[in-house]
Amino acid sequence: MIRKLGQLGIQRFPSVCPSTRLLRTSSAGRPSCAAGPGSRLLQPGCGTRGLTTIIREPSFVASSSVGLHKDADIPRLRLTQLHRPTSAEEQAFQQGLASCSSSRQVLRLLRSVEILSDTMAAAALHRVADLEQGGESLKDPAVLQNDTIRALCFQLEQDSGRLTDAGLVSALLACTRLFLDPWSTLMVRLVSESQERLDRGKMTVAELCTLGQAMLAVEGPGCVMLEQVMEDIQKLEPVQWSLSDLSAVYRLLQGGVGEDGKYRDLLNAMHTPALRLTSRMDPAAVSGLLSALVALNQTQAMPLVIGLCKQAVRHVPHFSDEELTLVVGALIYFGHSDHYFVEAMEKYVPTMAFVSNPETVTTVMQFFSRRNILSPTVFDAIAESFVYRADDYTTSQVARQIMAFGKLGYLPPNAGEVFRKVESILHTRFSHFQPRTLLNLLHACVLVFSSYFLQQLQEQGTGMDRIVLAQLTQLYMTVKLECPFYQGPKLLPKFCVKSFLTSGRSLETPVDVHLYNSVKNGLIELLGARAFFGSNVLTPYCYTLDVEIKLDEEGYVLTASQTDEVYKRVALCIDGSKRFTTNKRHLLGKEAIKQRHLRLLGYEVVQIPYYEFEELQSMTSVVEYLHQKIFPHTYRLSW
């Protein structure tokens, strides 16, 4: 029994993509102006869009093609099996559609074609939707009143039973993208016919996915018909699907069907064949699949992510801005980077930094920042483009790019120009910055902040958590230490923290326990007793010292508990690998500023980097190494 659309309770739901939504319904749940019984009209006054089909009584023969007659003032359509377009003719038509830059050109193309198959007719409607979509409505709703569009829709309505399965579901999806009233006769007939075909159980994977997207747009994830679509898809074997079939199912699940972990078993069954096909994926397939894996939170599918990243290396120069943004964003999400991908980006970024979409450039910077990868080639190119393009960036894009420089502690060759540009943007667009975005920007480039900024930060509804207060404290400390002539506002005590070292996100990286224990054993051997040095010492300046050694005026080591006669304090920074960028022995910004501040505060800073310490093979070599590091000018017989 055919389920009528009216029995499904049409609601307005978000669509698979921003371009797929329907006309709004009334508060009673019914369409605001559905066509009456037997009517073939979608009235022009229906919401903001309308469509009137042309009522004629053409003669039909069994067919699956739509013929467009050009010999009348108003185009007439008929179904015929005679002279069906060849595959070459269909391909030429599709190429013609792709070259159309306006709906008027699409309509002109339609009127120039002798024979039009149902799939060609649906493709024409999709192209009009591509060109006319403007958010949640059409840019020019009047396009639906064009005689050619009306004739085309009337023929699809009258002869839905004669359409192929592919043409039927594609036409239905196109109608949703054109915002047609779900209660119109056209939509009801297409849905009813689709239900009948679905009940036969003969649809292909691609056809099921197209129908699923259409019903997702019509009624949302809770649609009964959509559940039947998914039941049919699950009966099929993913290992037998083509690449296009796999991509279609991933898109359908991404669109909302796979929310809340639904169809987990289906996804797991799809990942393995998808991995085998990664070498055949073009840029659109790679970016689309990575985007779907992010939306579906498939963190367990890392082999597939790694395979897609390897394939992405080949496509880096060929990705569109939107595709590259999706790819890089996915790699950030999954926390993955590939040496060859980084090399490919290093070659590509200098060519795109001045011309690509600002969000793409920003996302690329975030990728290198999140993965702690310092690439002077990439950073220098983007720093140069920043000086010329930053006026067109959003405040978020400005902050995220500068934050990347700050996190990795890298100053590009044109640092002066970059920071002057930042200063200019702050001067002209200060009020446009969200308080926390501004804080992250200031913390990255260590600029002066004002009492107005603090007031705005307090007024933000989310409050001021500990990391925010820590950033404020470090900013103020930086200003006081490195700009002693500063006479601006002081940071009120209520904004200060006592320690920068916290669990989770922190302004200091905790010491590597294994490396610390090895250093500790060497220090005991060097100094003669554990009492002669302190560990994890919180200074009055918020920083935590891995190891502190106190010396008197003559250079003798004092016990860690002694507070009198302390002439010099030695701060040992036991720097494990997490305190450096992943691809170079370059300290992260937060570690470099810590050591700089400790020196300004009077500490003698001694760095013990992991890559030097790991080369030591014996306790004797460890002791000698520590002696040379801490007491380079002292001859040691014994302590």
Side-chain angles (χ1 to χ4, degrees):
M1 180 177 181
I2 299 176
R3 299 183 183 93
K4 295 297 183 181
L5 197 59
Q7 296 172 324
L8 297 177
I10 297 297
Q11 303 175 39
R12 183 167 181 248
F13 282 79
S15 62
V16 175
C17 62
S19 61
T20 312
R21 288 187 176 85
L22 297 176
L23 285 176
R24 56 180 176 271
T25 57
S26 67
S27 59
R30 300 287 296 178
S32 55
C33 49
S39 170
R40 299 190 183 118
L41 302 181
L42 289 178
Q43 299 296 342
C46 181
T48 58
R49 296 163 291 279
L51 172 71
T52 303
T53 57
I54 303 170
I55 302 176
R56 294 180 181 271
E57 296 299 334
S59 57
F60 303 105
V61 294
S63 71
S64 61
S65 297
V66 179
L68 181 59
H69 288 249
K70 301 181 293 180
D71 55 352
D73 294 335
I74 298 177
R76 292 182 292 114
L77 305 172
R78 64 183 177 81
L79 295 177
T80 178
Q81 280 187 330
L82 301 176
H83 309 296
R84 180 179 175 86
T86 65
S87 59
E89 290 171 335
E90 291 214 23
Q91 183 177 2
F93 180 78
Q94 294 286 358
Q95 292 174 346
L97 282 178
S99 66
C100 291
S101 58
S102 69
S103 296
R104 180 172 297 182
Q105 291 179 357
V106 175
L107 299 176
R108 187 181 302 120
L109 177 64
L110 279 171
R111 296 178 70 91
S112 71
V113 179
E114 294 289 342
I115 298 295
L116 200 66
S117 70
D118 54 358
T119 52
M120 292 164 68
L125 294 178
H126 277 291
R127 186 57 181 158
V128 172
D130 292 339
L131 295 168
E132 292 295 340
Q133 283 172 352
E136 297 188 11
S137 63
L138 297 182
K139 298 175 184 176
D140 180 18
V143 72
L144 297 181
Q145 303 306 316
N146 180 273
D147 290 339
T148 301
I149 295 292
R150 289 161 55 182
L152 193 61
C153 290
F154 171 69
Q155 195 64 55
L156 291 171
E157 172 192 322
Q158 288 295 294
D159 295 280
S160 59
R162 294 185 174 90
L163 305 178
T164 62
D165 289 350
L168 173 68
V169 297
S170 182
L172 176 59
L173 180 59
C175 288
T176 68
R177 300 184 64 219
L178 288 169
F179 307 98
L180 297 191
D181 183 354
W183 290 97
S184 66
T185 307
L186 171 61
M187 287 287 288
V188 170
R189 286 190 178 181
L190 292 179
V191 172
S192 298
E193 183 63 31
S194 296
Q195 178 67 71
E196 189 171 288
R197 307 284 183 92
L198 183 61
D199 290 339
R200 296 175 190 169
K202 301 296 184 181
M203 285 190 176
T204 65
V205 174
E207 293 160 357
L208 288 169
C209 289
T210 302
L211 177 57
Q213 288 196 35
M215 296 314 300
L216 189 63
V218 170
E219 198 177 359
C223 174
V224 175
M225 194 168 168
L226 181 57
E227 292 179 359
Q228 186 178 349
V229 166
M230 292 308 302
E231 289 174 3
D232 284 4
I233 289 176
Q234 291 179 94
K235 293 176 184 177
L236 304 174
E237 293 294 334
V239 293
Q240 299 176 358
W241 295 351
S242 66
L243 174 57
S244 61
D245 289 339
L246 283 165
S247 298
V249 178
Y250 275 114
R251 283 196 302 271
L252 179 59
L253 293 170
Q254 177 186 7
V257 178
E259 291 179 348
D260 303 323
K262 294 177 66 177
Y263 306 110
R264 184 180 293 107
D265 292 341
L266 173 62
L267 276 167
N268 290 336
M270 292 166 57
H271 293 334
T272 299
L275 177 58
R276 288 199 296 267
L277 294 172
T278 52
S279 62
R280 293 166 47 188
M281 293 185 184
D282 61 13
V286 171
S287 62
L289 185 46
L290 280 171
S291 175
L293 294 176
V294 171
L296 296 167
N297 192 31
Q298 294 297 291
T299 53
Q300 82 286 357
M302 285 307 298
L304 178 55
V305 172
I306 294 170
L308 290 167
C309 182
K310 291 180 179 179
Q311 180 67 0
V313 173
R314 300 172 51 188
H315 297 316
V316 163
H318 310 295
F319 283 123
S320 66
D321 284 352
E322 181 181 2
E323 290 167 349
L324 184 59
T325 302
L326 291 174
V327 169
V328 175
L331 295 180
I332 293 173
Y333 179 83
F334 289 109
H336 178 69
S337 58
D338 180 279
H339 173 69
Y340 297 103
F341 182 80
V342 171
E343 286 187 343
M345 291 297 292
E346 287 180 324
K347 293 178 181 178
Y348 179 60
V349 170
T351 70
M352 56 80 80
F354 284 86
V355 296
S356 288
N357 185 284
E359 187 60 26
T360 303
V361 177
T362 303
T363 306
V364 167
M365 281 294 281
Q366 284 186 289
F367 167 74
F368 281 86
S369 172
R370 296 282 184 89
R371 301 301 299 154
N372 285 344
I373 299 171
L374 177 59
S375 171
T377 301
V378 170
F379 279 46
D380 291 352
I382 292 182
E384 188 177 353
S385 69
F386 181 89
V387 174
Y388 292 94
R389 303 186 65 192
D391 289 331
D392 297 324
Y393 292 167
T394 66
T395 53
S396 173
Q397 290 163 351
V398 169
R400 283 181 284 156
Q401 290 195 29
I402 298 302
M403 285 167 62
F405 288 99
K407 182 181 179 186
L408 299 190
Y410 181 73
L411 287 178
N414 65 335
E417 293 178 281
V418 170
F419 290 126
R420 279 193 294 275
K421 174 59 68 173
V422 172
E423 186 178 12
S424 172
I425 291 172
L426 285 170
H427 178 72
T428 57
R429 289 196 275 166
F430 184 85
S431 61
H432 298 172
F433 282 87
Q434 292 295 320
R436 295 207 177 196
T437 301
L438 183 58
L439 174 60
N440 286 327
L441 171 61
L442 293 174
H443 188 253
C445 60
V446 197
L447 294 176
V448 177
F449 50 87
S450 69
S451 57
Y452 170 79
F453 158 69
L454 292 175
Q455 180 182 352
Q456 291 291 309
L457 192 64
Q458 279 185 284
E459 292 175 355
Q460 198 173 30
T462 55
M464 298 174 66
D465 56 30
R466 200 177 189 289
I467 189 63
V468 170
L469 296 176
Q471 288 177 308
L472 286 172
T473 305
Q474 192 173 53
L475 277 171
Y476 182 66
M477 181 184 297
T478 301
V479 171
K480 296 298 289 182
L481 288 175
E482 304 193 33
C483 304
F485 51 83
Y486 173 71
Q487 299 296 326
K490 295 183 178 180
L491 183 66
L492 299 177
K494 65 180 179 180
F495 293 120
C496 297
V497 297
K498 294 185 180 298
S499 173
F500 291 144
L501 185 61
T502 58
S503 59
R505 188 181 174 197
S506 176
L507 299 189
E508 295 184 68
T509 306
V511 67
D512 181 284
V513 176
H514 178 73
L515 180 60
Y516 165 77
N517 286 333
S518 299
V519 174
K520 179 186 70 174
N521 293 335
L523 287 174
I524 294 174
E525 184 70 20
L526 174 66
L527 301 178
R530 177 65 180 80
F532 288 109
F533 62 92
S535 300
N536 292 319
V537 178
L538 177 61
T539 70
Y541 313 102
C542 307
Y543 290 111
T544 298
L545 307 182
D546 299 330
V547 168
E548 182 186 45
I549 299 174
K550 300 175 181 178
L551 305 176
D552 65 12
E553 192 170 359
E554 296 181 2
Y556 288 100
V557 179
L558 304 174
T559 60
S561 60
Q562 192 164 342
T563 58
D564 299 331
E565 301 181 358
V566 177
Y567 180 76
K568 179 186 290 187
R569 297 174 185 268
V570 179
L572 265 63
C573 294
I574 304 174
D575 294 330
S577 59
K578 290 184 178 180
R579 293 183 178 179
F580 295 85
T581 59
T582 54
N583 63 326
K584 296 181 182 292
R585 293 170 179 174
H586 186 88
L587 275 178
L588 297 177
K590 62 182 178 180
E591 301 304 326
I593 196 173
K594 172 183 176 179
Q595 294 186 18
R596 186 167 75 247
H597 283 180
L598 289 176
R599 291 188 179 95
L600 290 172
L601 289 166
Y603 288 89
E604 181 179 319
V605 177
V606 175
Q607 186 184 16
I608 310 292
Y610 74 97
Y611 51 84
E612 290 182 358
F613 197 85
E614 288 177 351
E615 294 181 356
L616 307 177
Q617 301 298 320
S618 65
M619 180 57 71
T620 300
S621 61
V622 168
V623 172
E624 289 300 326
Y625 171 82
L626 293 175
H627 179 213
Q628 289 299 319
K629 278 282 187 175
I630 304 170
F631 308 105
H633 306 297
T634 302
Y635 178 73
R636 176 179 180 264
L637 294 175
S638 62
W639 299 109

